[in-house]
Amino acid sequence: GDLEELNRAKYVGMALHTVKVQTYLRYIDEFVRLSSAPMMLELGLFPNAKEISETMAIWEAYRKFLSKDCADFTDEDAFIAVGDGATPRTAALFAFLSKGGTCFAIDPLLEQGAATHDKKSTAATHSSSFSKQTASNAVTKVQQQSDHNAQFFRKLADASPSVAGANNQSAAKKSGELDSHPWQGVHRLKVMPHKVERVRIKVRRAVVLLLHCHCTLEQV
């Protein structure tokens, strides 16, 4: 009767307390093994494990289902991250890890995110590009690695920061890109602070990434 019910309740309570939530760190493990991971963290692209897991998951989906078809991507092709938020983390990760293709981050919050990042960042950034010291540090981290951005950082380390940012400002304004932002040192990354309906991109082929997108495919 009552005693049996009480014992059953105690057993259920003990069972609930002993249930362990199993966590999977596969994507985190993959991320920390990347030669470019220190640079992505230094750029403030990933504030927490959740964002890393989500973005690495979409990279894994691309690698599993589309990478063979996109192996010959050039600058005429594109990865387009729609609704990337105030930080271009998805487009930037594809810029670091893919072998070819221009990587577009599209979100109206990107301009505000760039301004906020500049105020909060403690990394060694100067105006619209990396400082020489930051670029030199980045080269040191990847000099033994096969990261596709290493050559770009070597050139940037020897260049004047003000010149590196100024050369592309006119072209950026014409294309709708943000001409000055904290992620300007990422090769092949284009930051476009607009609603996707206002953006027109002419490419040969495109992979559209809709990780946090709140619009339909028809709108894209």
Side-chain angles (χ1 to χ4, degrees):
D2 294 340
L3 183 59
E4 184 178 348
E5 289 295 328
L6 181 61
N7 288 334
R8 184 180 294 111
K10 288 182 178 179
Y11 175 79
V12 171
M14 291 175 61
L16 290 174
H17 283 295
T18 57
V19 170
K20 293 183 179 179
V21 178
Q22 190 171 6
T23 58
Y24 297 92
L25 301 176
R26 172 188 168 189
Y27 293 137
I28 302 296
D29 291 342
E30 287 188 12
F31 179 82
V32 298
R33 287 196 294 266
L34 295 173
S35 62
S36 52
M39 283 182 278
M40 285 190 269
L41 293 175
E42 188 173 357
L43 285 166
L45 291 168
F46 295 100
N48 53 50
K50 170 183 173 292
E51 298 293 352
I52 293 175
S53 296
E54 290 178 348
T55 309
M56 287 297 293
I58 201 169
W59 169 255
E60 173 63 16
Y62 160 76
R63 187 168 58 181
K64 183 176 181 179
F65 297 108
L66 294 174
S67 59
K68 290 183 179 180
D69 296 327
C70 304
D72 60 341
F73 260 30
T74 68
D75 290 344
E76 296 180 354
D77 306 298
F79 297 98
I80 304 174
V82 181
D84 221 4
T87 304
R89 58 180 59 93
T90 305
L93 183 133
F94 271 74
F96 274 105
L97 301 187
S98 62
K99 294 183 179 180
T102 304
C103 300
F104 293 91
I106 302 174
D107 197 295
L109 294 176
L110 283 165
E111 187 167 15
Q112 178 183 345
T116 302
H117 185 284
D118 277 335
K119 292 178 182 179
K120 293 184 177 180
S121 176
T122 56
T125 56
H126 177 75
S127 289
S128 60
S129 64
F130 282 112
S131 67
K132 290 184 179 181
Q133 184 61 46
T134 302
S136 298
N137 290 342
V139 172
T140 301
K141 292 173 183 175
V142 298
Q143 61 184 357
Q144 301 297 330
Q145 308 292 338
S146 58
D147 191 279
H148 298 289
N149 288 277
Q151 185 176 0
F152 175 79
F153 278 108
R154 289 191 182 95
K155 292 179 180 179
L156 190 59
D158 297 328
S160 167
S162 59
V163 173
N167 289 338
N168 297 321
Q169 285 187 5
S170 178
K173 288 180 179 179
K174 291 180 180 179
S175 64
E177 298 172 42
L178 193 60
D179 57 7
S180 177
H181 56 83
W183 314 283
Q184 211 151 333
V186 182
H187 189 41
R188 295 190 289 117
L189 175 65
K190 306 292 184 182
V191 176
M192 309 189 77
H194 308 290
K195 291 184 177 181
V196 68
E197 295 91 338
R198 295 180 53 198
V199 176
R200 294 293 180 268
I201 300 173
K202 185 177 180 180
V203 294
R204 182 177 59 169
R205 293 173 298 173
V207 174
V208 181
L209 310 168
L210 305 175
L211 181 60
H212 293 299
C213 185
H214 296 285
C215 58
T216 65
L217 283 174
E218 287 75 15
Q219 290 175 294
V220 174

